[in-house]
Amino acid sequence: MLRDLIDFADMSKSEWDAMFSLALEIERNPAEYAEIAKGKILASMFYEPSTRTKFSFQSAMLRLGGNIIGFDGTSATSVSKGESVKDTARIVSSYADIIVVRSPVKGTAEEIANQSDVPVINAGDGTHLHPTQTMVDLFTIGYLTHSHEITGKKIGICGDLLYGRTVHSLLSALAWYGNNEYYFISSPSLEVPQEYADKLVPRNKINITRSLDCIDELDILYMTRIQKERFPSEADYLREKGAYVLNRETLSRAKDDLIILHPLPRNDELAEDIDDDPRAKYFLQAKLGVPLRMALIATLLGKI
Ligand code: NCD
């Protein structure tokens, strides 16, 4: 059966848990998976900039013994000649065995999946969702806490909660767990959209706050970048820029076992002076993107 990963309806919590177990197994025994995608081709269709997501998908495919093709931006493809997403999708799906898509427009990955005869993975569609980043986020938490279950935790999510697709995705997945307390830390104009907060309301406690003063309470702090490219104007962005900065001073009040995550790239919200702090886990998080995406590719290719 053809499987895609476009949104949270595509895979159940138990399938995500299986993915985390497989990713851990791959991380521990990479040699056993080094030829699993031999002869297969991954196409990356990136209509929007990316470093970690694109390279970790490509690295994952190469580490599984497969090959990669793709485009970054559309200037060198027939999209610049006016080719539709639909036509591009149809063609790419006949050249590859699995497709990874990033687009500034909500719904592009789904549109491509509708045209494709091979599995399609949503690597971010506008401000909507970024499910594989969330898989990486949850895998990192499980890796550090030695448990797939997230419960009884105090979780802060800080920054651009309005436009950040990693936040929207993370909250969609966190709705699978209960008995947590959330602190949504943002300015009034970048608050989390109600539809995502509502997913958590029934089984969790929610606090809306404007400052990082709650840091001493937290077990997990998910920092995010203000999404400059989504703002209506430069002036609107400048009003928000620099509102939240996690630095050594702020961190001095946090618990010793706080887990600090960030999907990256960072701007000024994570001061470099905390990079060496053992609580800073965002580089580990980026690194774990490779075994996690190896697990996802292997699963969607039907190799597991
Ligand atoms: C994020 C994205 O593209 O949504 N980056 C990523 O994939 N690691 C976050 C961001 O751009 O701020």
Side-chain angles (χ1 to χ4, degrees):
M1 200 183 89
L2 182 59
R3 300 289 314 265
D4 301 307
L5 179 57
I6 307 298
D7 65 30
F8 290 83
D10 290 315
M11 277 186 197
S12 64
K13 176 179 183 291
S14 60
E15 287 174 296
W16 278 55
D17 286 343
M19 204 67 73
F20 301 144
S21 301
L22 177 60
L24 196 59
E25 160 71 17
I26 291 175
E27 198 246 350
R28 291 189 177 149
N29 306 296
E32 286 182 28
Y33 297 85
E35 300 207 345
I36 219 168
K38 205 170 167 190
K40 299 289 182 189
I41 296 174
L42 175 140
S44 52
M45 301 172 65
F46 275 61
Y47 294 90
E48 233 192 10
S50 172
T51 302
R52 271 148 297 273
T53 305
K54 185 184 64 197
F55 286 141
S56 64
F57 263 115
Q58 295 185 344
S59 171
M61 187 57 168
L62 294 170
R63 288 185 193 280
L64 290 170
N67 296 298
I68 53 171
I69 56 174
F71 60 74
D72 309 323
T74 51
S75 56
T77 69
S78 288
V79 174
S80 67
K81 301 181 194 170
E83 187 165 54
S84 67
V85 166
K86 202 170 153 187
D87 283 355
T88 311
R90 197 162 166 179
I91 301 303
V92 175
S93 120
S94 69
Y95 295 164
D97 301 289
I98 186 162
I99 297 175
V100 183
V101 186
R102 168 169 290 187
S103 156
V105 181
K106 175 180 174 178
T108 303
E110 190 175 1
E111 194 183 348
I112 290 176
N114 290 340
Q115 296 303 316
S116 172
D117 301 326
V118 302
V120 175
I121 298 170
N122 180 7
D125 60 335
T127 61
H128 185 217
L129 293 175
H130 189 352
T132 73
Q133 179 63 48
T134 301
M135 273 190 176
V136 175
D137 301 341
L138 298 190
F139 179 50
T140 307
I141 294 170
Y143 188 90
L144 292 166
T145 61
H146 309 289
S147 168
H148 289 329
E149 294 305 312
I150 301 175
T151 186
K153 302 279 188 223
K154 295 194 176 185
I155 303 171
I157 303 186
C158 176
D160 190 341
L161 313 189
L162 175 65
Y163 295 120
R165 60 192 170 199
T166 61
V167 173
H168 305 159
S169 275
L170 183 61
L171 299 183
S172 303
L174 286 171
W176 283 325
Y177 311 92
N179 195 29
N180 292 305
E181 181 164 357
Y182 289 91
Y183 294 79
F184 292 142
I185 308 156
S186 79
S187 69
S189 43
L190 296 181
E191 273 184 12
V192 71
Q194 199 60 41
E195 61 173 304
Y196 296 106
D198 282 350
K199 291 176 197 246
L200 297 168
V201 167
R203 297 166 63 207
N204 302 278
K205 188 163 182 240
I206 309 270
N207 306 287
I208 308 253
T209 169
R210 306 283 169 230
S211 97
L212 272 165
D213 285 352
C214 58
I215 194 164
D216 54 338
E217 299 276 340
L218 302 177
D219 301 301
I220 298 169
L221 174 56
Y222 194 87
M223 294 294 293
T224 63
R225 174 179 70 89
I226 306 296
Q227 306 280 297
K228 182 178 182 191
E229 66 277 29
R230 313 283 182 214
F231 279 74
S233 74
E234 173 93 5
D236 288 319
Y237 166 69
L238 291 174
R239 266 193 290 278
E240 303 290 345
K241 183 183 173 322
Y244 299 96
V245 177
L246 185 60
N247 54 26
R248 215 178 270 188
E249 194 198 326
T250 319
L251 200 50
S252 66
R253 288 184 284 114
K255 290 187 191 170
D256 289 343
D257 58 355
L258 172 69
I259 294 173
I260 305 165
L261 300 176
H262 190 306
L264 303 176
R266 68 171 147 194
N267 292 151
D268 46 15
E269 66 280 0
L270 288 180
E272 284 185 17
D273 69 4
I274 66 163
D275 288 354
D276 294 335
D277 190 293
R279 294 167 288 188
K281 301 297 186 191
Y282 32 88
F283 292 121
L284 171 71
Q285 180 187 4
K287 189 173 171 195
L288 291 176
V290 175
L292 185 279
R293 290 185 168 106
M294 289 170 76
L296 179 61
I297 293 167
T299 302
L300 293 184
L301 284 176
K303 297 289 180 186
I304 299 295

